[in-house]
Amino acid sequence: MFLDLALKYDSEARRCDLVLGDDFDLAIDETPIPAILMSVGLDRRAASDDPLPEGRSQFLAPASYSERRGCAGDALDPYGDLTGTRAWLLDRAKQTETTRQLCEFWLRESLEWAKTETGQPAEIEVEWLRAGMLGYRVQVQDESVMLSRRVEA
């Protein structure tokens, strides 16, 4: 069973916000939706061998945590689990089948928890919506979320 603070996704602004109940207390969500939004919406720290998008380089700028991004909460995880997806590395990628497959792979990586929690892996579909826009649908149990990500066309 899932139990998280409720999040509302604004597709126009491409961001989430906490939901308040009628009594102005934070609302609770018993579906996997908040976990899905956190998994695909946060930036996972890039691996040391991941090429960074153009304009970011360990050779052109001082080494820092922000170059490889990452969720600040990962530092507090006692098991060393990482949150989010590395799909941010595709921000300057070209519109190719390889880019689409890489996005799908990184989404699967970010949603590995679904199999542990539900016994079934997340269902993920990734497609080009239009030039420079990758769309993806993620389903865990009976709940699904549709999101998109801009990439260089």
Side-chain angles (χ1 to χ4, degrees):
M1 183 172 115
F2 291 92
L3 195 63
D4 282 313
L5 293 175
L7 295 174
K8 182 172 94 176
Y9 178 68
D10 180 355
S11 60
E12 193 71 24
R14 293 181 20 190
R15 65 177 181 211
C16 289
D17 205 354
L18 291 168
V19 176
L20 296 177
D22 294 335
D23 57 358
F24 297 103
D25 282 342
L26 290 171
I28 301 296
D29 192 338
E30 296 180 7
T31 69
I33 297 294
I36 294 170
L37 290 171
M38 298 279 287
S39 294
V40 300
L42 293 174
D43 294 340
R44 180 179 288 216
R45 184 150 173 84
S48 59
D49 60 342
D50 283 334
L52 298 175
E54 190 175 316
R56 299 175 191 264
S57 166
Q58 61 188 5
F59 303 111
L60 299 176
S64 74
Y65 186 82
S66 62
E67 287 176 0
R68 297 213 170 265
R69 294 193 188 178
C71 177
D74 289 346
L76 304 174
D77 191 296
Y79 304 108
D81 293 336
L82 297 178
T83 305
T85 179
R86 292 187 286 166
W88 67 271
L89 292 167
L90 300 174
D91 285 352
R92 298 187 54 96
K94 301 297 182 197
Q95 184 172 339
T96 64
E97 178 61 14
T98 302
T99 300
R100 189 199 67 76
Q101 289 176 350
L102 195 53
C103 182
E104 185 174 344
F105 174 78
W106 282 335
L107 288 171
R108 288 195 191 290
E109 175 186 63
S110 73
L111 292 160
E112 287 176 352
W113 59 263
K115 184 164 175 88
T116 306
E117 294 292 323
T118 67
Q120 297 178 329
E123 294 179 30
I124 301 168
E125 295 174 12
V126 179
E127 63 183 349
W128 290 103
L129 299 177
R130 61 178 188 272
M133 184 66 72
L134 263 175
Y136 37 92
R137 184 185 71 79
V138 175
Q139 182 171 338
V140 175
Q141 288 180 328
D142 295 330
E143 302 291 333
S144 69
V145 175
M146 295 182 76
L147 302 161
S148 62
R149 174 170 292 278
R150 287 189 187 118
V151 296
E152 189 172 289

